[in-house]
Amino acid sequence: MKQLVIAIDGYSSCGKSTTAKAVAAALHYAYVDTGAMYRAVTLYLLEHHISFEDLAAVEQALHTLQISFRRNRRTGRNEVFLDGTNREDDIRQMVISNSVSEVSVIPMVRHAMVAQQQRMGRKRGVVMDGRDIGTTVFPDAEVKVFMTAEVVVRAERRQEELAQNGEQVALDDIIENLRKRDHLDSTRTESPLRRAADAVLLDTTHLVIEEQVDFVLERVSAALFTPHA
């Protein structure tokens, strides 16, 4: 059967990663959480006290750090390894959320991550979620979905996720963070967050994960079995 590239873009905390993981599992495809890659770079820069404005040091860091994904057999999820160490929980902390959009706007960071993402998806049969998959990383993706949701709903979901990791954050602080990230992601010069012209809009405000997954899988079926797709 034809192997597809499935691009799931959209705003933070819309359910992109959870949906993408479930779709990949259903299709036996590879899954790549591109947002985790930018979070890993952010973590590296913060831990090594590298200023985001020191472009020479950032460039050197990009040549030094190594990002990979490994499947956790116990949980079944892909986890991020930075320089050989599992940092999945660390990259999800609020301190990283507060800085990741600032790192993502750095052109050399985006170029390095996009190149790595394109290598990961070269053989197709992959589900990627992020901000610019359908517009920059894989503009030829057979299935493109752009996810959105009301900001308060997104904040509540994010708050629950943080609480599960033992981090208590006020809802108003999360809303402020999401709005800041939305603005930075949508207005950056390099690969801004935007809906591709051929992407299908999916508003997840009132949907559960199973409904989101079914929505994407229906688009996959159409791409696989509709003659004109």
Side-chain angles (χ1 to χ4, degrees):
M1 185 177 290
K2 181 181 179 182
Q3 297 287 288
L4 308 180
V5 171
I6 302 168
I8 301 179
D9 291 308
Y11 296 97
S12 301
S13 301
C14 288
K16 294 193 308 295
S17 295
T18 304
T19 298
K21 290 175 191 174
V23 169
L27 297 171
H28 302 289
Y29 275 19
Y31 164 66
V32 179
D33 178 357
T34 64
M37 298 171 69
Y38 291 101
R39 285 175 172 269
V41 174
T42 304
L43 177 65
Y44 184 95
L45 297 180
L46 290 174
E47 289 190 338
H48 288 79
H49 307 290
I50 297 173
S51 169
F52 303 159
E53 298 178 356
D54 187 346
L55 298 185
V58 171
E59 183 175 18
Q60 180 59 44
L62 290 171
H63 289 303
T64 302
L65 62 86
Q66 294 183 338
I67 300 171
S68 61
F69 291 92
R70 300 182 194 176
R71 184 174 177 79
N72 184 317
R73 294 183 179 179
R74 182 177 58 82
T75 64
R77 69 176 183 172
N78 281 350
E79 297 178 334
V80 173
F81 280 69
L82 179 60
D83 293 335
T85 301
N86 189 330
R87 307 304 301 273
E88 179 67 27
D89 291 337
D90 297 327
I91 66 169
R92 306 298 173 183
Q93 295 177 357
M94 196 66 184
V95 64
I96 303 301
S97 297
N98 285 333
S99 299
V100 65
S101 289
E102 295 177 50
V103 173
S104 298
V105 302
I106 303 173
M108 66 180 66
V109 172
R110 296 213 71 83
H111 293 166
M113 295 300 103
V114 167
Q116 185 169 340
Q117 291 154 16
Q118 289 173 333
R119 287 194 297 271
M120 290 177 174
R122 188 171 296 153
K123 295 182 179 180
R124 311 189 83 77
V126 64
V127 183
M128 285 195 184
D129 74 86
R131 304 289 191 281
D132 60 349
I133 310 305
T135 55
T136 300
V137 183
F138 283 104
D140 62 341
E142 292 86 352
V143 177
K144 298 181 184 179
V145 176
F146 189 90
M147 294 175 64
T148 187
E150 294 176 3
V151 68
V152 174
V153 173
R154 292 160 54 204
E156 289 171 345
R157 292 171 179 170
R158 179 65 177 146
Q159 186 181 50
E160 182 179 352
E161 179 186 8
L162 289 167
Q164 290 174 352
N165 291 329
E167 193 171 359
Q168 303 299 322
V169 182
L171 188 64
D172 286 345
D173 291 340
I174 298 175
I175 291 174
E176 181 181 357
N177 169 258
L178 290 176
R179 285 177 172 157
K180 174 186 174 183
R181 292 179 64 187
D182 290 349
H183 176 74
L184 289 173
D185 290 343
S186 301
T187 59
R188 66 186 179 220
T189 302
E190 195 75 25
S191 300
L193 167 64
R194 61 183 176 84
R195 177 184 172 187
D198 53 348
V200 179
L201 182 66
L202 174 57
D203 188 329
T204 71
T205 302
H206 303 295
L207 299 180
V208 296
I209 292 298
E210 289 78 11
E211 292 172 315
Q212 297 169 199
V213 173
D214 287 344
F215 181 95
V216 178
L217 289 176
E218 287 173 5
R219 271 66 195 171
V220 172
S221 294
L224 284 171
F225 302 116
T226 302
H228 63 267

